Amino acid sequence: KRIYMIIKKSPCKINLFLDIKSKREDGYHLIESLFHTIDLFDIIKIEEDKEFKISTSGKYKLNDNEENIVSKIFYYFKNEMNLKKNYKINIEKNIPTGAGLGGGSSNAATIINFFLEELNIKPDNRLIESFSKFGADIPFFINGGLSWVSGIGEKIFLYNFTFPYKIILIYPNIIVSTKLAYSKFAENDFNKSDIFYIKNALDNKENKNNEIDFNDLYSHTYNIFEKNVFKIEPKIKEYKEKAENEIKRKICMSGSGSSLFALYNKNENIINEDYNKLKNIFKDLDIYKLDLI
C-alpha cells in the first residue's frame, strides 16, 4: 500500500490591535482585536499509520510532556466526527512559543482543516466557532488573512482584503504565559484605546474600497497587554525601547507577548536597513523580516 505524506504550512499571526472590553463571570476576557497572518510557518507532515502518533521537531520543538492540542483534536474527530483513519503527525516548530504569535492554535487549525477535507466537510461558521473550545485563536486560523476578532476569540469578521505590509519581528527569547498575563488585569485597565477608529476605517474599505492610510493605521496600533507584561518581564520593555531608539519607529507587542514588531508599508525600502541595525544590536535574538499574508 502506497504511503503518501501530506505537507501543510501552518502560519502565525500578529495582533495589529488588541484591547479588552470586559471580563465575563466565568473568568474569560472579551477582546477586540485585529489579527493578520504572517509568513512565518510551522511545517506539518501527515501520513496515514496504524496508530496515532504526534511528534515535534525544529528550533522550537516542544517537550514531549507539553500538552498538545492536536491530540485532543484528533480524538475529538475520531469520537465525535467519525474519522476512521490513524495518522502519524510531525510538526516542525519554526514559530517561537510563548510569543503571542498563536503557533499552537495555527497548528490545531491546520490539522482541523485537514481532517475536515478528509471527511469532505465544508465547515460553516457555527462549526468553525465551536473549535474555540480547544483554543481561543483556532477559529481565526481556520481561514487566516485579516480579521476583526471579538468575544473570547470565537467571533470573527474576515475582511475581503489583506494589507500589503511587511514587518520586522523580534523574538526576545522570553516565554510569556498567556494565563499569567491575563490574570494581572483590573477592571479599570480595559477599553483604553479608540477601538472604533480602526474598525470604521476597515469597514469603509470593505464596503467602499476606500484606501486606508498606512501611517494613520500604524499610529493606532495598540496592545493593552504591554503595561502588564512589561511589569512581569521588564526585559521585553527594555528591548522595545532599545529597538525604537535604534530605528526611530513605533514598536508594538503581539498578543500577550513576548514578540515585538515594527510595521512597514510595501514600498518602504528602509526595512532592510532597519533589519540589519536590529540584527546588529540584538545579536542573540531571532529577528525576522516578514510579509503580512
Side-chain angles (χ1 to χ4, degrees), residues 1 15 26 50 54 56 58 60 63 77 81 87 111 119 187 189 196 202 214 227 256 288:
K1 144 176 176 319
N15 301 75
D26 62 6
K50 290 190 290 296
I54 178 143
T56 61
Y60 295 105
N63 309 331
F77 270 88
M81 310 273 286
Y87 301 89
I111 295 288
L119 295 168
E187 278 306 308
D189 290 334
F196 293 103
L202 288 159
F214 171 79
K227 200 175 89 208
S256 53
Y288 307 85

Side-chain angles (χ1 to χ4, degrees), residues 36-269:
H36 208 307
T37 32
I38 56 177
D39 66 346
L40 172 61
F41 301 97
D42 285 343
I43 306 295
I44 303 185
K45 294 181 174 152
I46 307 167
E47 43 191 328
E48 277 180 43
D49 210 339
K50 290 190 290 296
E51 52 186 6
F52 173 68
K53 288 195 214 56
I54 178 143
S55 59
T56 61
S57 56
K59 180 157 192 180
Y60 295 105
K61 84 191 219 67
L62 308 172
N63 309 331
D64 291 340
N65 55 8
E66 277 188 67
E67 197 182 9
N68 199 309
I69 325 174
V70 172
S71 305
K72 287 187 182 161
I73 285 162
F74 170 75
Y75 288 111
Y76 173 78
F77 270 88
K78 199 96 182 128
N79 301 327
E80 307 291 324
M81 310 273 286
N82 211 8
L83 184 70
K84 294 278 191 273
K85 298 172 183 169
N86 286 319
Y87 301 89
K88 184 167 82 177
I89 298 172
N90 175 263
I91 304 172
E92 182 192 307
K93 296 291 296 170
N94 305 310
I95 299 167
T97 40
L101 299 170
S105 296
S106 172
N107 297 165
T110 303
I111 295 288
I112 286 169
N113 280 335
F114 170 74
F115 289 157
L116 291 171
E117 278 165 28
E118 288 281 270
L119 295 168
N120 282 323
I121 294 171
K122 201 155 174 37
D124 58 8
N125 287 345
R126 216 188 69 226
L127 183 58
I128 291 174
E129 210 171 286
S130 75
F131 291 114
S132 66
K133 60 177 167 279
F134 297 107
D137 293 344
I138 292 173
F140 162 73
F141 278 111
I142 288 178
N143 291 311
L146 171 69
S147 292
W148 194 271
V149 177
S150 56
I152 62 164
E154 86 292 3
K155 292 192 172 61
I156 293 167
F157 181 81
L158 177 64
Y159 288 101
N160 60 19
F161 56 92
T162 52
F163 286 134
Y165 302 160
K166 295 177 182 305
I167 60 163
I168 292 176
L169 182 71
I170 302 167
Y171 177 54
N173 275 334
I174 295 167
I175 291 180
V176 172
S177 149
T178 305
K179 214 174 184 163
L180 180 63
Y182 268 112
S183 72
K184 297 289 179 199
F185 284 114
E187 278 306 308
N188 59 0
D189 290 334
F190 304 149
N191 292 317
K192 282 292 179 264
S193 60
D194 187 352
I195 289 178
F196 293 103
Y197 186 86
I198 287 193
K199 186 98 177 58
N200 291 339
L202 288 159
D203 293 345
N204 275 333
K205 178 167 168 51
E206 173 91 4
N207 300 326
K208 307 193 185 92
N209 209 14
N210 297 352
E211 274 318 299
I212 288 179
D213 180 71
F214 171 79
N215 293 320
D216 207 15
L217 176 90
Y218 196 11
S219 65
H220 282 84
T221 53
Y222 171 80
N223 187 336
I224 194 171
F225 278 97
E226 287 188 12
K227 200 175 89 208
N228 285 346
V229 170
F230 293 167
K231 275 192 200 122
I232 305 168
E233 293 286 358
K235 197 92 186 112
I236 303 173
K237 182 181 189 196
E238 205 181 296
Y239 286 138
K240 172 179 152 117
E241 287 168 354
K242 197 172 171 185
E244 283 184 332
N245 232 346
E246 186 67 27
I247 63 172
K248 307 287 181 272
R249 199 177 191 96
K250 177 179 178 179
I251 284 183
C252 214
M253 193 173 78
S254 181
S256 53
S258 63
S259 60
L260 303 162
F261 67 88
L263 200 57
Y264 293 81
N265 212 343
K266 57 177 178 295
N267 45 13
E268 287 189 89
N269 296 326

Side-chain angles (χ1 to χ4, degrees), residues 3 219 277:
I3 298 275
S219 65
K277 281 181 183 168

